[in-house]
């Protein structure tokens, strides 16, 4: 019984050290942005582009904005939306690929 307990402790110790080594190897490089912050910043930028397009459209309807600025902001919003949809599609595709993996 004691040898079984010692064996389990040694095995647990090996697992813990392997986990610590893997965690250190997978840590982000110094000076890089953590993933969550990068996605948050991208979402904020996307919302800002859409807000600018909306305010330019409202300004054009009220006769206060230049039509050139309106066309430019709508083009930026279109590119931002296409990019967001492409990222979403890639995330869904990756998720579906993970679901198809055998366990």
């Amino acid at each position: 019984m004691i040898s079984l307990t010692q064996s389990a402790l040694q095995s647990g110790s090996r697992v813990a050290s392997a986990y610590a080594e893997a965690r250190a190897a997978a840590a982000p490089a110094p000076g890089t942005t953590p993933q969550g912050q990068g996605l948050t910043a991208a979402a904020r930028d996307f919302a800002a582009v859409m807000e600018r397009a909306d305010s330019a459209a409202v300004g054009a309807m009220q006769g206060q904005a230049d039509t050139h600025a309106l066309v430019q902001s709508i083009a930026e919003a279109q590119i931002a939306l296409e990019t967001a949809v492409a990222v979403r599609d890639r995330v869904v595709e990756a998720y579906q690929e993970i679901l198809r993996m055998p366990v």
Side-chain angles (χ1 to χ4, degrees):
M1 180 75 168
I2 292 175
S3 66
L4 182 60
T5 305
Q6 289 175 344
S7 174
L9 287 175
Q10 289 174 350
S11 176
S13 176
R14 280 182 277 165
V15 169
S17 64
Y19 174 75
E21 290 174 13
R23 186 170 182 175
T32 59
T33 304
Q35 290 177 347
Q37 291 178 1
L39 293 175
T40 303
R44 266 192 246 117
D45 292 345
F46 175 76
V49 167
M50 292 305 198
E51 181 62 36
R52 283 195 303 268
D54 188 44
S55 63
V58 169
M61 286 188 272
Q62 294 174 347
Q64 299 170 351
D66 182 27
T67 55
H68 178 25
L70 173 65
V71 170
Q72 183 178 359
S73 65
I74 289 174
E76 288 175 2
Q78 181 179 2
I79 291 170
L81 183 61
E82 289 172 357
T83 303
V85 168
V87 169
R88 185 218 46 199
D89 290 345
R90 293 293 299 260
V91 168
V92 169
E93 181 181 323
Y95 178 73
Q96 289 174 344
E97 185 67 28
I98 290 170
L99 288 179
R100 280 186 238 128
M101 288 182 181
V103 178

